[in-house]
Amino acid sequence: MTVHVKMAAIQWHSRERDYSEELESCSLEKIPVEFGDYHPLKTITVTESKTKKLGRKESTSSTSSSCSSNSVADPLSSVLDGTDPLSLFAATAETVAATTEVSRKKRDQEEYIGSDFEPWSSKRGEILARYTTTEKLSINLFMGSDRGKTTTPGSAVSEKVRTRLEELDDLEEGSQKELLNLTQQDYISRIEELNQSLKDAWASDQKVKALKIVIQCSKLLSDTSVIKFYPSKFVLITDILDTFGKLVYERILSMCMDNKTALPANFTPDNVNDTAKETCLNWFYKIASIRELVPRFYVEAAILKCNKYLSKTGISESLPRLTSMIKGIGDPLVSVYARAYLCRVGMEVAPHIKENLNQNFFDFLLTFKQIHSDTVQNQLAVQAVEIPIYLTLYSPAIDWMLRCIAYRAPDSLLTEMMERCKKLGNNALLLNSVMSAFRAEFIAARSMSFIGMIKECDEAGFPKHLLFRSLGLNLALADPPENDRLQILNEAWKVITKLKVPEDYINCAEVWVEYTCRHFTKREVNTILADVIKHMTPDRAFEEAYPQLQSVITKVIAHFHDFSVLFSVEKFLPFMDMFQKESVRVEVCKCIMEAFIKHQQEVTKDPVILNALLHVCKTMHDSVNALSLEDEKRTLAHLINGFIRLVSFGRDFEQQLSFYVEARALFCNLEPVLVQLIHSVNLLAMETKKVMKGNHSRKTASFVRACVAFCFITIPSLTSIFTRLNLYLHSGQVALANQCLSQADAFFRAAVSLVPEVPKTINIDGKMRSSEAFLLEFLSNLFSTLLVVPDHPEQGVLFLVRGLLNVIENYTWEDNSDDKVRIYTSVLHLLAALSQESYLYHIDKDIGAPESPWKRKDPEASEFPRSALF
């Protein structure tokens, strides 16, 4: 039986259908509702409610009437005077939430230290990375003693105490081993071993041994033989002290648990039992017996919090005493770090006692001149350390003390600090720490005063450009008075532009670029960029400053959202040329494209923007190679596609197509970009149809065919087979809509020819899945499209359907799969639809009319190659 006979049989047996009538019959019944009639969404208003109690059990009965409604009243409304239980529950929940919020805000206000306070832990890594040394270090390791282990259970208490005191003396009598010629990494490893030894000794109930380890480590803070490493040593040793303080506090806390009941959060000494108090006093007595000042100070400061178990005023009384103890430390560097540790502990246990923090810092100012004493100068001469490097060792300690003092401090305290700095001759080290510690708003309001103080500083001790950098960091966060802004920039740049060392220059310039972008126009920004290029180009200095240069670009882009203005900055693109390293250059390009996609609100055809961004996108595209990760390719393609979608030449469709052709040549290695270009060109063809209202002229018909040819040429270059299938179908539909019948035939033939190549499994998110479900979906869509495709006059009736059936028959399907049956069912649906006098849907201006669905009135010669499958 031939296909013609089959079709005749289908036409004879298929029932005729009137789609319009079927649609009308399947619609919901429409009933007119007069104004005032009941509606299920209409609000029910309760106007009367009666409630009475019956017996011991509270039962309620009520009558209610609804206004402007003939329906039965809402039972939930009638029970509780018109308020249903859910509403009451919601109201109660809102009240509780409001009360909780008020309580929380009140608690937050009472709590002194908030999340805005930068903890010490955030400084730790920075200090360890900055203060390093190549010199050899030494350390004294504790060697355990066997004394005291022969005591019998019946020994007297006095004998036990005497033994423990002897164990404490062991450390000073030679129970230690000195390790010499250690590298920095070896030294850090030994300190970490001591920290672990402390924990092990504590876990094995060797409390005296643990105390010995802490004392030994504290003694290391008196040693300044390798002075450049001292800040890092301080960080490592205080980690051990923090561990010890925590262990002691938790030990005493565990002794306070009576009947397994823990102490309340805000306990008082009255809640602490006598045994815990005695143990706590015993720890303080042991520490008081330490002979040397530095370890005695540090160990007592480490357990300062334990004073809470003994007295309500214990901490407030101990802080001034510890502050006075520091006056006995002769080395100014050791002394300032001891003060920093006391401030650190004080902020943790008693942040409200600001008087002691202030007094601690003011005492330091009184002894600040010791830095320039003969003793210190001799020590620096022996270690060959210059005074500017030596002064930078003080920065972490002074910065931390001032940060604690300045936290939530009033504006007047900054004025007082500035006056004290002036009395000390505007010491640059102190001035830098003051600008780093106080709020940016306070610093910005006094910008000109700080510039005056910076000018009077002695540059021999601390470089002025570092002071201007600190000032610039504050001005990037807060705005100075408007009348002073230009003068501030001029004064700062006079100093910055004279810097000869590229590293110093770019570290300073990077900060002030943001200030310039915030408050000035592209003219000033262009001047700054030109000066940076001038300083960083000689001897290819830019190769050592890529992070800073990248930061400059990021700040400029963040403030110039109008890219026509940005690319009109004369030195912007020459600045980009300094990024010679490909990975850095690509990151900068990605940053530019992200900003463009985020801030470009409207489509553009500005040639300056297009040329610049095409160059940027080409740079990203050219970085793709065989080793590039899929995620990286996906990211780059997403950025390029975002740019393509924002380009529009309006009614100049030919120029738009030329842009897409150029983009295809530039970005041929990124498949998602090619897919986007195909979709964009198809959209362009449909826009042309819309403008011409479906009646193409000779010129627009040629243009549409050019769009169709673009797609037909581009699709085969894609690797994903289902992407190609769907694009062939989509592009064929676009060609059909624009009366390009032979081109549409070519797309559909290409899709049918590709079906045999569909693999049995495909990779989806890293897992292999069967492809039949995707193939079934595609074929269903293709059959739906073939309903409105006119038959080719030379190939006979249902030419494409017959070829597709041959492919389906020869395709190898999975065993026990019903997908093949589903496809043949879809074919029956298609044939039944084709047999109707009028179709369910059609394409406007399609020359294949419903009354003659299998004949083409205006056959065209095919412009694309035919498939051998037909």
Side-chain angles (χ1 to χ4, degrees):
M1 182 184 294
T2 64
V3 175
H4 297 282
V5 176
K6 288 182 179 179
M7 285 305 306
I10 292 173
Q11 283 186 328
W12 180 262
H13 293 290
S14 297
R15 64 183 178 88
E16 295 183 2
R17 302 177 63 179
D18 188 336
Y19 294 115
S20 300
E21 184 178 343
E22 289 182 20
L23 180 62
E24 183 69 22
S25 63
C26 293
S27 301
L28 294 175
E29 184 180 0
K30 298 178 182 179
I31 302 176
V33 179
E34 297 182 2
F35 179 76
D37 288 349
Y38 169 75
H39 190 275
L41 298 181
K42 188 173 182 179
T43 304
I44 299 175
T45 305
V46 177
T47 58
E48 180 182 0
S49 178
K50 297 179 182 179
T51 306
K52 65 179 181 178
K53 298 180 181 178
L54 298 175
R56 295 178 62 185
K57 296 183 179 179
E58 293 185 2
S59 61
T60 62
S61 62
S62 61
T63 60
S64 61
S65 60
S66 60
C67 181
S68 67
S69 176
N70 298 327
S71 64
V72 179
D74 184 359
L76 293 178
S77 301
S78 64
V79 173
L80 296 168
D81 294 336
T83 305
D84 63 271
L86 293 179
S87 299
L88 282 178
F89 178 78
T92 304
E94 290 175 0
T95 304
V96 172
T99 305
T100 305
E101 182 68 15
V102 171
S103 301
R104 186 188 64 78
K105 290 182 178 180
K106 184 177 180 180
R107 184 172 66 253
D108 289 347
Q109 291 173 357
E110 293 175 351
E111 188 175 352
Y112 188 82
I113 296 183
S115 58
D116 56 334
F117 182 76
E118 188 175 8
W120 172 259
S121 57
S122 64
K123 301 289 184 184
R124 184 181 184 279
E126 178 185 345
I127 294 173
L128 291 175
R130 180 179 177 185
Y131 297 97
T132 59
T133 183
T134 56
E135 298 182 37
K136 298 300 181 180
L137 302 163
S138 63
I139 189 173
N140 294 323
L141 280 181
F142 169 69
M143 306 299 292
S145 172
D146 293 331
R147 254 201 281 183
K149 294 183 180 179
T150 59
T151 304
T152 62
S155 299
V157 175
S158 58
E159 180 65 24
K160 183 178 180 180
V161 172
R162 187 183 307 112
T163 302
R164 288 191 173 181
L165 290 175
E166 289 175 354
E167 287 179 349
L168 285 174
D169 290 337
D170 280 350
L171 184 62
E172 300 176 9
E173 293 175 359
S175 62
Q176 50 187 332
K177 177 182 178 181
E178 186 175 14
L179 298 179
L180 303 175
N181 298 324
L182 297 177
T183 64
Q184 176 182 320
Q185 189 57 45
D186 292 337
Y187 187 91
I188 294 174
S189 300
R190 297 296 182 182
I191 294 294
E192 291 175 351
E193 289 178 9
L194 286 174
N195 198 357
Q196 187 60 43
S197 298
L198 168 64
K199 296 177 182 178
D200 294 340
W202 192 272
S204 59
D205 203 26
Q206 300 182 51
K207 304 298 188 296
V208 173
K209 180 180 178 181
L211 180 58
K212 287 181 179 182
I213 294 174
V214 175
I215 295 172
Q216 175 191 351
C217 292
S218 301
K219 283 186 175 183
L220 297 175
L221 293 175
S222 303
D223 178 23
T224 56
S225 57
V226 184
I227 203 165
K228 291 182 180 180
F229 188 65
Y230 191 85
S232 293
K233 181 197 292 186
F234 172 79
V235 170
L236 296 170
I237 300 301
T238 52
D239 284 347
I240 297 178
L241 290 168
D242 293 341
T243 301
F244 176 72
K246 182 179 179 182
L247 291 172
V248 173
Y249 184 84
E250 292 177 350
R251 163 68 175 164
I252 299 173
L253 182 64
S254 66
M255 300 176 68
C256 297
M257 295 179 62
D258 295 329
N259 299 324
K260 297 183 179 181
T261 302
L263 286 177
N266 297 320
F267 68 88
T268 63
D270 297 333
N271 303 123
V272 182
N273 57 47
D274 293 339
T275 304
K277 287 183 178 179
E278 183 181 354
T279 303
C280 186
L281 280 171
N282 188 31
W283 277 110
F284 280 108
Y285 291 154
K286 288 178 181 178
I287 294 169
S289 67
I290 300 175
R291 297 174 184 175
E292 296 185 24
L293 174 60
V294 172
R296 185 168 72 250
F297 163 79
Y298 272 105
V299 179
E300 182 175 353
I303 66 167
L304 180 64
K305 189 177 181 180
C306 294
N307 280 284
K308 293 174 61 178
Y309 297 115
L310 302 176
S311 171
K312 292 182 179 179
T313 59
I315 294 176
S316 59
E317 293 173 355
S318 298
L319 282 172
R321 179 173 54 81
L322 290 171
T323 301
S324 300
M325 287 174 62
I326 299 175
K327 295 179 181 179
I329 301 176
D331 192 309
L333 185 63
V334 177
S335 173
V336 73
Y337 275 93
R339 296 183 186 279
Y341 186 69
L342 186 60
C343 284
R344 174 178 154 196
V345 175
M347 284 296 287
E348 292 176 359
V349 301
H352 56 283
I353 308 178
K354 295 297 291 287
E355 296 79 7
N356 182 76
L357 295 175
N358 295 345
Q359 186 60 46
N360 190 14
F361 184 75
F362 293 153
D363 287 349
F364 162 72
L365 293 181
L366 293 175
T367 60
F368 186 73
K369 293 182 180 179
Q370 291 181 352
I371 293 177
H372 302 285
S373 64
D374 293 339
T375 304
V376 173
Q377 297 298 325
N378 293 336
Q379 184 183 20
L380 298 181
V382 170
Q383 299 191 36
V385 177
E386 298 178 356
I387 190 66
I389 296 177
Y390 176 68
L391 289 178
T392 59
L393 302 178
Y394 285 80
S395 294
I398 298 176
D399 288 349
W400 179 255
M401 285 192 290
L402 280 171
R403 193 174 296 278
C404 296
I405 294 171
Y407 181 66
R408 295 185 180 176
D411 196 3
S412 57
L413 182 60
L414 176 58
T415 304
E416 182 181 355
M417 287 293 178
M418 293 175 68
E419 292 299 324
R420 288 180 178 268
C421 286
K422 289 178 181 178
K423 290 180 182 179
L424 291 172
N426 290 328
N427 184 272
L429 177 65
L430 292 178
L431 198 58
N432 186 68
S433 296
V434 168
M435 288 190 292
S436 300
F438 281 86
R439 291 174 55 186
E441 294 81 0
F442 296 167
I443 303 296
R446 297 169 173 79
S447 298
M448 291 306 301
S449 299
F450 275 104
I451 287 178
M453 295 172 68
I454 292 172
K455 287 181 177 180
E456 297 174 4
C457 286
D458 181 13
E459 193 165 3
F462 199 91
K464 286 185 179 180
H465 71 269
L466 294 180
L467 298 177
F468 275 107
R469 186 179 189 278
S470 297
L471 179 61
L473 289 172
N474 284 283
L475 296 181
L477 300 174
D479 298 334
E482 188 172 355
N483 295 332
D484 296 337
R485 291 175 183 174
L486 182 58
Q487 186 178 356
I488 291 171
L489 179 61
N490 289 334
E491 293 292 342
W493 208 257
K494 284 179 185 177
V495 176
I496 297 172
T497 194
K498 292 179 182 178
L499 295 174
K500 302 299 182 183
V501 181
E503 182 181 0
D504 295 341
Y505 171 84
I506 193 60
N507 285 333
C508 236
E510 170 203 355
V511 173
W512 283 88
V513 163
E514 183 161 2
Y515 173 77
T516 308
C517 293
R518 282 168 62 95
H519 302 297
F520 299 98
T521 63
K522 69 174 185 178
R523 175 176 169 271
E524 288 78 10
V525 173
N526 188 65
T527 303
I528 298 294
L529 295 181
D531 195 62
V532 173
I533 295 172
K534 177 183 175 182
H535 280 78
M536 301 306 295
T537 302
D539 300 326
R540 300 180 68 85
F542 55 79
E543 292 181 346
E544 303 298 326
Y546 282 139
Q548 293 88 340
L549 295 175
Q550 191 172 350
S551 176
V552 170
I553 283 287
T554 303
K555 291 171 181 176
V556 172
I557 295 172
H559 290 88
F560 283 85
H561 297 166
D562 188 345
F563 276 73
S564 61
V565 176
L566 177 64
F567 289 123
S568 65
V569 175
E570 182 182 353
K571 296 298 181 180
F572 181 79
L573 293 179
F575 189 94
M576 289 278 296
D577 292 336
M578 286 195 294
F579 295 100
Q580 300 290 326
K581 189 177 180 181
E582 185 184 42
S583 59
V584 179
R585 190 178 183 87
V586 171
E587 286 300 319
V588 173
C589 291
K590 288 165 65 176
C591 181
I592 293 173
M593 293 310 303
E594 287 171 357
F596 177 76
I597 294 171
K598 179 179 179 181
H599 299 296
Q600 186 70 24
Q601 301 296 328
E602 299 178 353
V603 294
T604 182
K605 60 178 181 179
D606 189 327
V608 175
I609 295 178
L610 297 187
N611 290 334
L613 292 184
L614 277 174
H615 174 70
V616 170
C617 291
K618 184 67 165 62
T619 301
M620 295 192 300
H621 170 270
D622 291 347
S623 68
V624 175
N625 53 45
L627 300 179
S628 299
L629 299 175
E630 289 300 321
D631 285 345
E632 178 68 12
K633 293 180 182 179
R634 194 179 299 113
T635 300
L636 297 179
H638 171 73
L639 295 174
I640 296 174
N641 286 343
F643 164 62
I644 291 173
R645 285 191 292 265
L646 286 171
V647 176
S648 175
F649 291 87
R651 291 292 185 88
D652 193 349
F653 293 154
E654 293 183 353
Q655 184 65 30
Q656 187 80 33
L657 182 60
S658 298
F659 170 77
Y660 291 145
V661 171
E662 182 181 2
R664 182 179 62 182
L666 293 176
F667 313 128
C668 57
N669 290 331
L670 289 174
E671 187 164 308
V673 178
L674 297 179
V675 173
Q676 175 63 44
L677 289 171
I678 293 170
H679 285 305
S680 297
V681 171
N682 281 330
L683 181 62
L684 184 63
M686 296 307 293
E687 286 289 332
T688 306
K689 177 178 181 289
K690 181 179 178 181
V691 171
M692 300 303 295
K693 298 180 181 180
N695 297 315
H696 283 297
S697 64
R698 178 171 298 182
K699 182 177 180 181
T700 58
S702 299
F703 174 77
V704 168
R705 283 194 291 272
C707 292
V708 171
F710 176 98
C711 298
F712 193 84
I713 293 171
T714 309
I715 292 175
S717 63
L718 305 177
T719 58
S720 172
I721 191 165
F722 278 103
T723 301
R724 279 187 282 163
L725 285 172
N726 289 317
L727 287 175
Y728 275 134
L729 176 59
H730 184 207
S731 300
Q733 292 169 346
V734 171
L736 193 62
N738 284 277
Q739 298 124 48
C740 299
L741 301 181
S742 61
Q743 288 86 347
D745 273 348
F747 278 115
F748 297 137
R749 286 200 305 273
V752 174
S753 302
L754 197 59
V755 170
E757 300 179 19
V758 174
K760 299 298 179 287
T761 57
I762 55 175
N763 190 325
I764 300 177
D765 297 330
K767 297 181 179 180
M768 300 306 294
R769 304 288 188 186
S770 173
S771 63
E772 286 195 5
F774 300 94
L775 181 58
L776 177 62
E777 180 184 1
F778 166 75
L779 291 176
S780 299
N781 292 333
L782 180 56
F783 287 137
S784 299
T785 303
L786 292 179
L787 174 64
V788 292
V789 177
D791 288 315
H792 198 284
E794 298 178 0
Q795 302 295 332
V797 178
L798 297 181
F799 164 63
L800 292 172
V801 177
R802 286 186 283 114
L804 188 53
L805 288 173
N806 291 335
V807 171
I808 295 171
E809 182 65 28
N810 295 327
Y811 188 81
T812 304
W813 301 90
E814 291 185 4
D815 296 336
N816 302 322
S817 172
D818 60 354
D819 288 334
K820 188 173 183 180
V821 176
R822 291 175 181 272
I823 292 174
Y824 280 134
T825 304
S826 298
V827 175
L828 289 177
H829 293 163
L830 170 62
L831 296 176
L834 284 168
S835 67
Q836 303 300 316
E837 290 297 327
S838 61
Y839 291 165
L840 179 61
Y841 49 85
H842 65 279
I843 296 178
D844 292 336
K845 300 295 181 181
D846 189 0
I847 60 175
E851 61 272 10
S852 55
W854 302 326
K855 293 184 179 180
R856 181 174 297 174
K857 295 182 179 180
D858 186 20
E860 301 179 46
S862 175
E863 298 180 10
F864 300 139
R866 299 182 181 278
S867 170
L869 287 174
F870 301 93

